[in-house]
Amino acid sequence: MKRITLTRFLIDEQYNRKAVPADLRLLIEVVSRSIKAISTTVGKGALAGILGDAGSGNIQGEAQKKLDVIANEILLEANEWGGHLAAMASEEMEGPHAIPHRFPKGEYLLLFDPLDGSSNIDVNTSVGTIFSVLRCPEGVTTPTESAFLQPGTAQVCAGFAVYGPSTVLVLTLGAGVHTFTLDRELGGFVLTQQHVQIPADTQEFAINMSNMRHWEPPMKRYVEEMLAGKTGPLGRDYNMRWIASMVADVFRILTRGGIFMYPRDNKDPSKPGRLRLMYEANPMAMIIEQAGGAASTGRERILDIEPSALHQRVAVILGSKNEVERVVSYHRVVGE
Ligand code: F6P
């Protein structure tokens, strides 16, 4: 089989399909180089002394791991000077990161979760990087938070990497989802699956069951029905998987279907969910929809949410379309 590198794929998208402008192509190439650098760093593990806590907290008040900080620095540094960005925002930083004056500026905004699932680092389980690209609103030269507050439907590109047994990069430019695998010897990403499609039906679910007592009634109902198996109302047995690393759980769903849920709960009423809209929910929702799946909070389509803050949290229910729609219909029954 002819090997198609990420560069070749993007050039083809730029010239033959006119699906990606030159500066967006450059942006994706730079992000993919950062991902390679993060992959190499993650792969060194304890040998490089990079495991454990950084001794600092992020804007969400969560303890930062050393690798959270390193991955954030890699992405910031690599994307500052290329002239393709107007600003960046990271889950690890309070406000937008401006492009230093000495560098040229571009028309895109890059948002990222530098190391998703970082509680898994020290136990040597898959982690990843999630990113989303928006256009900087016209006439804005120094983007502040409000420039980033665009709904998920405005994303021009979304992607994520999983640092697992192999490093994979999942990418959408709004016309399907494609997967690339890092060739560690050659140091480049190679196209390994084109136009990924998620099966509409599934018998596999992913949720942190320890929160069950805090869930709202529609979610309790759905999970109880799945647990009831063949003789229950859904008439079939279900299997459960929870990696506690969204990138790995979503990659599994892209591979063989499934439903991933981090629902709203009443554990901490100040938080309407655990996952972040701008860094996790929106990019993953775009990818899932582009692969034929669905993504909702239970009450509304994730991509339609008008964001109110950079670090806003939302409930996330995504994956195989028919199961996501079932959960949405259970929320509707309660809402009526
Ligand atoms: O913060 C994001 C995250 O680590 C996701 O990657 C993952 O799905 C979830 O949180 C894990 O949550 P919990 O610790 O409740 O299992």
Side-chain angles (χ1 to χ4, degrees), residues 91 116-119 208 211 242 244-247 249 260 262 274-276 280:
E91 189 189 290
D116 182 67
S118 54
S119 65
N208 183 344
N211 293 326
W242 183 249
S245 179
M246 191 187 195
V247 286
D249 279 314
F260 170 97
Y262 216 115
R274 170 178 167 112
L275 302 176
R276 288 74 171 179
E280 295 169 312

Side-chain angles (χ1 to χ4, degrees), residues 85-87 106-110 133-144 147-148 150:
L85 286 181
E107 58 181 276
Y108 292 103
L109 300 171
L110 174 66
V133 182
L134 296 165
R135 255 179 231 290
C136 187
E138 237 168 86
V140 175
T141 47
T142 315
T144 56
F148 288 84
Q150 306 178 36

